[in-house]
Amino acid sequence: WDFLILFFCLPVVIFNEITKKRLLGDISCRIVPFMEVSSLGVTTFSLCALGIDRFHAATSPQASTRPIEQCQSIIAKLAVIWVGSMTLSVPELLLWQLAQDTSPVSGVVTEYCTMKPSSNLPESIYSLVLTYQNACMWWYFGCYFCLPILFTVSCQLVTRRIRGTEKKSECRATKHGQCESHLNCTIIALTIIYGLCTTPENVSNIVVAYMSPDMSKQTLDLLNLINQFFLFFKCSVTPVLLLCLCRPLGQAFMDCCCCCCEGCGPDNTSSESSADSKLKTEMSSSIFFDKPRETPPPLLALGTPC
């Protein structure tokens, strides 16, 4: 979802700031806020799911021999996170619309997005959208800011409490204990990045909610641009942080990137030397057989290079 934000929302915002025209018109005014709020939901619920996973790993009676989670279970969790985040962001599609303003000095017509539900909506939906508009500030603060931070902190505290000092010192000497502590540090780092990048948005939302009549349109646009900048910064830092801290994921990503490169592929000489060394090892190890093989070696097919 971070890549979707960077590849779709970022060009639209940059184009609007440069040309004062809205790319894709009214569609982008609805899709961009929808994807940005969905990004907050995806990150929030992902951090909560990771916190639960770390708690289960700490409280499992046989943590070192815990089986790897199946792919179907992971896909089901991801589907719940994505579908739930997009469902909670549906009011953003009905809340925003395109507006135009003419500059009194230059006479240039500028396009911008305004938070104003359409009057053509049914009365029941219109009232729900207005309720969402009035409560969205505290909804963002409570669900998309406080929930992941408090959830991660509480899961980490409970995990440390359950492990105890003695068990923690024993686990640190093992490879499994180091892996668990490394994963916990990764989750904490993701939470810190998310908290730092969403704090300016929540502060500006509270300030705008109580001081918007005294602010000019230029100030409101500047605050909105700063909030989007921090969102884009979070979306660009989070994948890099995951690839750097989570070594298996980073190695798998590098293998996928290098599979199409000729320079990253195995060299013929190195493959031949590795094959020769493997053959020598097999021949040398065959000396130590005390009794003959029970089954004869398979016959080679006629016409082969061998």
Side-chain angles (χ1 to χ4, degrees), residues 227-245:
N227 296 336
Q228 289 182 328
F229 168 77
F230 278 101
L231 177 63
F232 297 146
F233 179 77
K234 188 266 298 181
C235 292
S236 59
V237 168
T238 300
V240 177
L241 186 66
L242 275 176
L243 294 177
C244 293
L245 293 182

Side-chain angles (χ1 to χ4, degrees), residues 194-220:
Y194 179 74
L196 292 177
C197 293
T198 54
T199 297
E201 180 179 3
N202 289 277
V203 172
S204 64
N205 288 337
I206 296 175
V207 171
V208 169
Y210 292 100
M211 299 179 61
S212 58
D214 301 332
M215 292 183 176
S216 61
K217 184 179 178 300
Q218 290 76 11
T219 304
L220 297 176

Side-chain angles (χ1 to χ4, degrees), residues 268-282:
N268 293 330
T269 57
S270 61
S271 61
E272 291 177 359
S273 61
S274 62
D276 293 339
S277 61
K278 183 178 180 182
L279 181 60
K280 291 179 181 178
T281 305
E282 292 177 353

Side-chain angles (χ1 to χ4, degrees), residues 73-101:
S73 176
I74 298 176
I75 293 177
K77 291 179 181 179
L78 291 177
V80 170
I81 291 173
W82 280 43
V83 174
S85 302
M86 290 187 290
T87 303
L88 293 176
S89 305
V90 167
E92 297 288 336
L93 296 174
L94 307 175
L95 185 61
W96 294 85
Q97 59 180 344
L98 183 65
Q100 294 181 350
D101 188 16

